[in-house]
């Protein structure tokens, strides 16, 4: 999409990883983190999100915030694919320790432009060591 | 800030976006557009309605690039391009259309 005004010049793209460690609705961190990730993606950066510790609860299916009088911002996770985010990593150990499995997480998808717009799952569950390697390879890390 | 239309007052932020989503009505959208010298055609409504549906589903107002792509998917390639959308909304398709749709400023617009 080189004709878009928002396109970054070649070489300006950095690898941004947004690391989410907190449960979704106890404070502003989770919502702000998602918003900042969306902004990074809107500016054509290479964005990924990682969910560690209680952060894995952010991706839980069927969240209902009505009784708490809060907006369910987690609906916006489903928009990450539209923002061309292709990588969401969930730490396997954090998930297991909380009694959660892949089936408890939202079925987030993205369309792979390089593969005839095939719908592919956005969430990848990876081990602690593999995630540490990925973190090592980022240009920018943002913790929420 | 506040917006005065047909004798009623609506609270807005400093850039004129409605403070309360629930204040929105079709008449208000048309009045906001009229203040900008813009008359809401069927094509304008198509985009505004699309944005309202998008917000309803995802709880965010999409950035312009995302909007352009999504409109293309929904309404066809001849509408999913910057030229068409900027002709309808010269102040920026996402910003201006979101304002008339009663939504907050799009996520990713600064």
């Amino acid at each position: 999409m080189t004709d878009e005004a928002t396109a970054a010049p070649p070489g300006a793209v950095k690898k941004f990883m947004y690391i989410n460690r907190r449960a979704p609705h106890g404070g502003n961190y989770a919502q702000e983190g998602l918003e900042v990730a969306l902004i990074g993606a809107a500016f054509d950066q290479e964005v990924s999100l990682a969910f560690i510790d209680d952060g894995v609860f952010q991706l839980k299916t069927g969240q209902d915030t009505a009784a708490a009088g809060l907006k369910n911002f987690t609906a916006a996770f489903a928009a990450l694919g539209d923002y061309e985010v292709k990588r969401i990593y969930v730490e396997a150990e954090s998930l297991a320790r909380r009694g959660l499995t892949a089936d408890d997480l939202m079925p987030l998808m993205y369309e792979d432009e390089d593969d005839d717009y095939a719908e592919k799952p956005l969430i990848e569950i990876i081990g602690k060591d593999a995630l540490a390697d990925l973190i090592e390879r980022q240009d920018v890390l943002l913790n929420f | 800030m506040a917006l005065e239309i047909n004798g009623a007052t609506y609270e807005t932020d400093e850039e004129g976006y409605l403070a309360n989503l629930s204040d929105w009505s079709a008449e208000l959208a048309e009045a906001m557009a009229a203040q900008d010298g813009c008359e809401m055609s069927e094509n304008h409504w198509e985009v505004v309605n699309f944005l309202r549906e998008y917000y309803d589903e995802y709880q965010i107002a999409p950035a312009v690039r995302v909007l352009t792509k999504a409109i293309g998917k929904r309404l066809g390639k001849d509408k999913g391009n910057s030229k068409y959308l900027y002709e309808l909304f010269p102040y920026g398709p996402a910003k201006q259309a979101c304002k008339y749709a009663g939504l907050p400023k799009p996520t990713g617009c600064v």
Side-chain angles (χ1 to χ4, degrees):
Chain A
M1 297 189 70
T2 48
D3 59 332
E4 294 292 333
T6 52
V13 177
K14 288 186 174 175
K15 289 161 106 74
F16 280 70
M17 183 182 267
Y18 299 84
I19 302 179
N20 302 281
R21 300 170 184 274
R22 291 173 172 84
H25 306 292
N28 289 334
Y29 279 96
Q31 182 172 0
E32 296 280 327
L34 177 56
E35 195 145 311
V36 174
L38 288 167
I39 291 169
F43 280 89
D44 277 341
Q45 300 302 302
E46 194 181 318
V47 167
S48 64
L49 284 77
F51 293 86
I52 308 175
D53 299 340
D54 280 346
V56 299
F57 286 123
Q58 292 183 31
L59 297 174
K60 177 86 178 61
T61 50
Q63 298 183 42
D64 183 352
T65 55
L70 297 168
K71 168 174 144 172
N72 184 14
F73 76 91
T74 62
F77 281 117
L80 282 165
D82 290 347
Y83 278 72
E84 293 176 26
V85 172
K86 301 182 177 75
R87 295 166 203 85
I88 296 181
Y89 303 105
V90 176
E91 196 207 48
E93 288 85 345
S94 298
L95 206 56
R97 216 172 293 132
R98 286 160 185 80
L100 297 173
T101 68
D103 293 339
D104 293 309
L105 305 180
M106 297 180 212
L108 304 180
M109 307 294 281
Y110 75 98
E111 286 180 358
D112 190 348
E113 281 183 49
D114 301 326
D115 188 10
D116 199 23
Y117 295 92
E119 285 228 314
K120 297 185 176 176
L122 197 45
I123 295 180
E124 191 184 330
I125 298 173
I126 63 171
K128 191 178 180 158
D129 296 337
L131 184 57
D133 286 345
L134 278 169
I135 290 173
E136 201 62 42
R137 292 207 293 272
Q138 302 300 314
D139 296 310
V140 181
L141 295 169
L142 291 140
N143 280 283
F144 292 94
Chain B
M1 263 176 67
L3 182 70
E4 273 183 47
I5 280 163
N6 303 334
T9 307
Y10 303 93
E11 196 188 331
T12 69
D13 72 6
E14 67 276 12
E15 290 176 274
Y17 292 81
L18 277 187
N20 303 307
L21 237 68
S22 52
D23 283 347
W24 188 86
S25 66
E27 294 72 35
L28 195 52
E30 288 182 342
M32 286 167 108
Q35 284 193 338
D36 292 337
C38 165
E39 196 183 324
M40 293 287 285
S41 68
E42 210 171 293
N43 290 337
H44 288 91
W45 273 115
E46 222 170 37
V47 178
V48 166
N49 287 331
F50 175 84
L51 280 168
R52 288 186 60 82
E53 284 167 29
Y54 195 95
Y55 190 87
D56 195 45
E57 183 168 358
Y58 299 111
Q59 299 293 306
I60 55 166
V64 62
R65 184 164 56 93
V66 176
L67 171 70
T68 307
K69 211 166 115 181
I71 289 275
K73 223 187 281 179
R74 172 80 69 91
L75 305 173
K77 279 262 181 275
D78 54 326
K79 294 184 175 175
N81 62 74
S82 301
K83 185 173 177 291
Y84 173 80
L85 292 170
Y86 271 93
E87 274 168 8
L88 286 178
F89 299 102
Y91 299 112
K95 285 187 191 181
Q96 195 180 353
C98 279
K99 190 184 278 188
Y100 304 162
L103 306 180
K105 206 164 116 172
T107 301
C109 283
V110 283

